[in-house]
Each structure stands twice: as structure tokens, then as C-alpha cells.
Amino acid sequence: MIMTEKLIKAREYEEHKEKTISKEQRPLFHLTPRCGWMNDPNGFCFYKGSYHLFYQYYPYDTIWGPMHWGHAKSRDLISWEYLPAALAPDEDYDKDGCFSGSALALEDGRHLLVYTGVRKERDENGEEKETQTQCIALGDGINYEKYSGNPVITSDLLPKGAGKVDFRDPKIFRENGRYSIVVGNKTEDKDGQLLRFSSGDALNWSYDGLLIKNGLRYGIMWECPDYFTLDGRQVLLVSPQDMQAQGFDFHSGNGTLCLIGAEDDSGCFKGEHFQTIDHGMDFYAPQTVLAEDGRRIMIGWLQNWDTLAYKREDLQWFGQMSLPREISIKDDRLIQRPVSELENYYGKSISRQGILLEESTSFPGIKGRCLDMTLTIRSAEPGLSYRRFEIRFAQKGSTYSSIEYDPEENTVRADRSHSGSRRAILHERTCRVSDRKGTITLRLILDRFSAELFLNEGEQVMSMTVLTDKEAEEITFITSGKALMDVTMHELGRQVE
Ligand code: FRU
């Protein structure tokens, strides 16, 4: 393979720069960019015995820049090993960025990446014009060569009314012996839609039809689609831009949406159930992989475009991946659970049942910043004997983040306003949980720079970055009224070197 200067430069740079970042300056078990900037997960797949994960990557700074594809692999989705950058924006058709996409193992053993090539040029009036096309690279799990026939899907294939600028984030899959790609598109009249293309050889593509039109129901443009069957249902994941809040269900800004439904005879997908994937401040652009054992595993960018100002200037990376989650469907809803591989990293554990909580309490041994803690809270007396439960974590002095449960309203609020941020940006969000008469199960997973909360066995999830100094490791439980608590806490870190 002949490597371009841009790719050689990126690979040399990241190899050198990675050595200047100590392990303590990174999360313990969440993937961060080898250096510089990371956004969306790309090309999440299982190939030659390992999970491969690529990501939107700008190695040279901690801000977004011309997109490369970073690359890492893992055997267990928890410990990741960096591989050299896979793609650089080094061809005429992708000179302004290799945007998000997906991957698939071909039958001949080659690994295929499909991504969006971005190219900007000035038209005759001097105005900047951007084109987005779908491109392919083929490789062996380390080195990738861009296909000589690129771009393989251009705006020439687009149907009437489709916009030519916003046409990105191809998700490839194989079905009934043929390859399919689903791509996001913004129409000329500014609505989001997903278009479907198909191919017999994964290189020559034709337009197949509309998969679904947003109809301005959930934001405008739909980014980063994923489309698969799960528990006998057809599922579509998308990340809508410019959402408007609807009750507690959908918040404003960049959001995530899961549609559960079915395809009609013409191949159009009809969503029957709509659900926010993550109710926290920081989760976007999730992608899934089908594991060898049949589990469908989802990973997302543990960040949001609207919260980039919550940042630590002393770190030489920006952006991290969520913990991978096993997903399933129960009662027409998406359920998410941390991958079970996390349990292999449990260290010291503490478990206490039926603790009576009144006002503010902490317990010896229940503290730390890398842990997996499950709490069940319930009334101490018949009826509702408490009005509020709060757990404060990453706490030191007046600095803390918190999770607050209101058993009357059935709401949970995640709040990092007091985590040390000096920016006036979004720091709290609330979601509704099922009514269990004052009983709730909270599973809180902390890493050095994040908190992920799984509510009631994964019915809702709230994720956020928490950038408080690592010395802040106290945990306090606060109630108004009397509540009973069962708690099990596992320290994390045993096998992560
Ligand atoms: C989503 C996104 C994608 C695009 C990529 C660019 O976060 O905007 O639509 O491919 O990021 O980095």
C-alpha cells in the first residue's frame, strides 16, 4: 500500500504525541482519541477476532478540524489498543474531511470502510460550495487503501428534491446476499430523510428508494443512522440536529432517537414507537455492532455538540466514547445495559442492605471515581415516607455532581452545575421514569471524566462528562424523609493496566 504524506504525517504525529499523555490523564475504561479531538464512533465492527472501532479524529488539536479516522481495537470492549490512523483527508474528493461511516468484513476477508468524503470549492461567484459523497476504503484491519473508483455514491444518484450538500454518514449492512447502505440527507426544502442504496459487490451502487422521511417531527437533519433487527423488531437509530424539547422526552439541540417499527411492502420504514436513547447531557451519534454471541452492542460519543465549552484545558485529548451497552427490546422500548465484560474489572466490593437514610449520610469505603454502584431506594414505611433522594458524587468541599430522584413526580435529574465548571452552559437535565411507587434502581458507573446512569434496569440512561479533579471522590446520600437503601459498589480497575 502506498501511503500519502498526510496519512504518514498523522501516524507519526499521533505515535509521538500519545507518549506525552499519561494513563492517569485519561479515563480508566472509556476510549479517548490517541491525541487531539474525537467525535462520532465510526466503523464499529467485529473483524478477525477483535472489535474494531474507528472515530472522527483530528489529531493535531483538541478542537474539530479536517476529519481523519482514528482507529482502536479491543477483545472485550473495555480495554482498547490504539492502531495507526486509518484514513486522512488526502484525496481530491475528501480533501476537506473523511466524515462518519461504517465498516463490514467482506467474504474474501478484506475489511471495507464506507465513509463520507467532503469537498469544498468556490463557484464562479466566489461562494463556497460543499459536496458530500460516499466513498470506500479496503484494508486488512490496519492499513486501508481508498478505492480507485471513489466516490461510489454521488449526488447524481440522488432522487428529486434531495439536497446535495447534507448527504452523509453511510451505514452498510448485508441482507439476503446483497449489500445495502442507508445514508442521511437534508432535502432541498430542509427536512431530514434517509435514503437507501444497494449493490451486489459493495462497489457499484444504485439508488433503492426512500427509507423514511422525518417530516420535521424530530429535529431537522438526521445524522448517523443505524438500521438493524433486534428481538424480532426493526430498529432505526438516528441523531437528529436542531430538536425542540417535548415534555421530558426529547430535549432541544442535538439529540438521539430510537424508532421501533416495521418495513412496508415498498421497503419504507414506519416508526411505531419513538424514544430518546439517552437523556443525559452528553451522548450522540451511537452505532451498533452484532457480537459473535448474538448480542447487539451500542456505543456513542460521550459528548454533545452543544456542550463543547465544558472542557479541561490541561488535557491533550477531547472527546470520549460511552461505555458499550447491550441493547434489547422490552414492551416496545429500547433497554440498555452496560456490557457484562465490565464485571471482569471489578476490584474491591461493598454491599449493604436495608440502610435507613435520613437527611445526609456517607459510609466508610463508599467513595471513589472509578466504580460501578447499584442502589435500590424504597419507602421505609407504607405509603411514601420520603420526598426526595439525592446522591452526590465526585465531591470535595462545595464541588460535586448529583443525581436526584423525585418519587412523587417520577423524575430523575442529573446535575453537574457544581462540578467546577466556569461556563454558563447546559449542566442539568431531567427525565421521567416509570412509576414504581417510590422504589427505584439506579446503577451509576463512574470513570475519571464521566458518569453514566442506568435507571430501572436500563429503561432510561443518562450520560454526562464530569471533569472535576480526581481528588473529589466523596459520595453522600441525602433524603428528605425516611428511605431504605440497598447498595452494592464495585471498584473498577482490576485488569486495566
Ligand atoms: C455528527 C457529524 C456527522 C459527520 C461528522 C463530522 O456528529 O456531524 O454527521 O459525519 O459529525 O465530524
Side-chain angles (χ1 to χ4, degrees):
M1 181 192 128
I2 309 154
M3 267 201 279
T4 61
E5 256 175 56
K6 270 199 178 159
L7 188 59
I8 294 172
K9 187 176 152 219
R11 286 182 166 195
E12 284 175 358
Y13 183 83
E14 63 180 5
E15 197 183 330
H16 154 77
K17 190 77 182 176
E18 184 200 343
K19 298 196 178 95
T20 69
I21 309 176
S22 73
K23 289 213 160 106
E24 291 69 46
Q25 290 171 313
R26 293 184 188 270
L28 188 68
F29 55 96
H30 287 77
L31 182 68
T32 45
R34 198 164 176 190
C35 57
W37 164 278
M38 161 194 276
N39 59 289
D40 316 350
N42 292 157
F44 193 20
C45 62
F46 194 79
Y47 180 67
K48 290 189 182 162
S50 294
Y51 295 97
H52 284 251
L53 184 62
F54 303 81
Y55 51 89
Q56 289 287 277
Y57 182 36
Y58 184 59
Y60 305 111
D61 204 342
T62 53
I63 54 173
W64 190 86
M67 282 291 110
H68 296 57
W69 274 35
H71 189 187
K73 72 171 183 178
S74 172
R75 287 204 176 272
D76 69 355
L77 298 156
I78 306 290
S79 295
W80 293 93
E81 174 195 339
Y82 289 116
L83 292 173
L87 303 174
D90 50 16
E91 293 289 342
D92 187 50
Y93 52 82
D94 64 16
K95 69 179 182 56
D96 293 295
C98 298
F99 274 19
S100 285
S102 50
L104 184 135
L106 292 178
E107 273 171 350
D108 63 11
R110 285 179 301 169
H111 200 205
L112 178 138
L113 311 182
V114 49
Y115 66 98
T116 299
V118 177
R119 181 174 193 281
K120 292 182 186 164
E121 60 190 329
R122 301 235 165 244
D123 65 13
E124 46 301 351
N125 306 320
E127 267 178 50
E128 197 175 75
K129 225 183 90 203
E130 182 173 320
T131 43
Q132 301 189 345
T133 56
Q134 315 319 318
C135 307
I136 275 173
L138 292 155
D140 59 2
I142 297 176
N143 296 308
Y144 294 84
E145 197 157 343
K146 291 180 184 170
Y147 174 51
S148 58
N150 276 345
V152 294
I153 305 178
T154 67
S155 60
D156 296 346
L157 290 183
L158 286 174
K160 214 168 139 270
K164 293 188 169 38
V165 181
D166 293 287
F167 176 42
R168 60 178 175 273
D169 309 336
K171 170 71 193 195
I172 190 167
F173 51 95
R174 206 176 142 87
E175 205 177 49
N176 307 325
R178 279 184 76 74
Y179 297 95
S180 288
I181 280 181
V182 170
V183 195
N185 177 247
K186 181 144 81 184
T187 62
E188 281 167 350
D189 57 4
K190 310 251 173 302
D191 192 3
Q193 62 179 0
L194 300 179
L195 305 174
R196 201 167 166 150
F197 298 83
S198 73
S199 168
D201 61 3
L203 299 173
N204 297 287
W205 293 88
S206 55
Y207 176 62
D208 242 18
L210 175 77
L211 182 70
I212 184 170
K213 196 162 170 159
N214 176 12
L216 297 177
R217 287 168 301 171
Y218 299 96
I220 301 176
M221 168 79 181
W222 282 0
E223 299 191 308
C224 302
D226 197 351
Y227 190 58
F228 49 87
T229 53
L230 179 64
D231 296 333
R233 308 293 293 277
Q234 192 61 45
V235 176
L236 175 65
L237 308 182
V238 284
S239 295
Q241 292 179 304
D242 306 297
M243 298 256 281
Q244 279 188 326
Q246 296 176 28
F248 286 122
D249 266 343
F250 300 101
H251 53 73
S252 298
N254 286 65
T256 51
L257 179 68
C258 168
L259 290 78
I260 302 173
E263 259 179 41
D264 66 16
D265 294 341
S266 61
C268 282
F269 175 76
K270 295 266 174 293
E272 290 153 14
H273 305 277
F274 300 78
Q275 172 186 348
T276 289
I277 301 174
D278 193 298
H279 293 268
M281 278 76 87
D282 299 302
F283 190 79
Y284 197 64
Q287 241 190 33
T288 67
V289 65
L290 189 62
E292 268 191 322
D293 58 13
R295 287 177 301 166
R296 176 68 62 176
I297 294 165
M298 179 177 76
I299 197 164
W301 184 36
L302 184 43
Q303 187 61 55
N304 193 294
W305 290 108
D306 291 321
T307 56
L308 301 183
Y310 183 51
K311 179 171 184 172
R312 285 230 336 217
E313 296 301 335
D314 59 329
L315 300 175
Q316 299 186 66
W317 56 267
F318 183 87
Q320 51 183 315
M321 290 298 160
S322 72
L323 187 62
R325 304 166 183 180
E326 296 171 19
I327 56 173
S328 57
I329 293 177
K330 196 177 135 207
D331 300 334
D332 298 326
R333 290 190 61 84
L334 184 77
I335 303 291
Q336 306 171 55
R337 290 197 173 87
V339 286
S340 51
E341 285 85 343
L342 188 65
E343 292 157 26
N344 298 331
Y345 293 82
Y346 285 171
K348 228 170 53 199
S349 300
I350 294 187
S351 191
R352 297 178 65 169
Q353 320 301 317
I355 305 170
L356 181 65
L357 296 177
E358 278 179 286
E359 297 177 352
S360 175
T361 328
S362 54
F363 301 96
I366 299 201
K367 61 176 186 161
R369 284 292 288 278
C370 294
L371 52 88
D372 180 351
M373 172 156 67
T374 300
L375 309 173
T376 302
I377 311 298
R378 59 185 185 277
S379 256
E381 291 155 10
L384 209 53
S385 62
Y386 72 108
R387 280 188 315 284
R388 193 175 74 92
F389 167 78
E390 183 184 353
I391 170 170
R392 292 190 177 178
F393 56 94
Q395 185 180 13
K396 191 179 178 204
S398 56
T399 302
Y400 63 91
S401 291
S402 77
I403 306 292
E404 204 179 312
Y405 169 54
D406 181 328
E408 283 168 329
E409 294 291 327
N410 293 307
T411 54
V412 172
R413 193 164 73 98
D415 189 345
R416 61 168 182 215
S417 315
H418 301 98
S419 66
S421 168
R422 293 175 192 272
R423 298 273 74 83
I425 55 165
L426 180 80
H427 282 318
E428 52 129 342
R429 205 162 254 162
T430 302
C431 82
R432 172 118 26 228
V433 291
S434 55
D435 183 359
R436 299 189 177 188
K437 309 276 177 263
T439 298
I440 191 166
T441 302
L442 310 161
R443 181 165 174 196
L444 180 64
I445 298 179
L446 300 185
D447 197 348
R448 291 184 187 125
F449 303 96
S450 64
E452 286 163 284
L453 176 70
F454 295 79
L455 294 160
N456 289 333
E457 294 84 39
E459 284 183 0
Q460 279 84 22
V461 185
M462 302 180 93
S463 304
M464 59 181 171
T465 61
V466 174
L467 305 182
T468 313
D469 282 345
K470 64 174 186 305
E471 290 73 37
E473 52 172 28
E474 283 157 36
I475 294 177
T476 310
F477 305 95
I478 303 167
T479 48
S480 44
K482 288 183 192 162
L484 290 174
M485 175 173 81
D486 299 337
V487 53
T488 300
M489 186 195 109
H490 306 282
E491 286 178 1
L492 288 169
R494 197 159 58 90
Q495 286 179 18
V496 188
E497 336 119 39

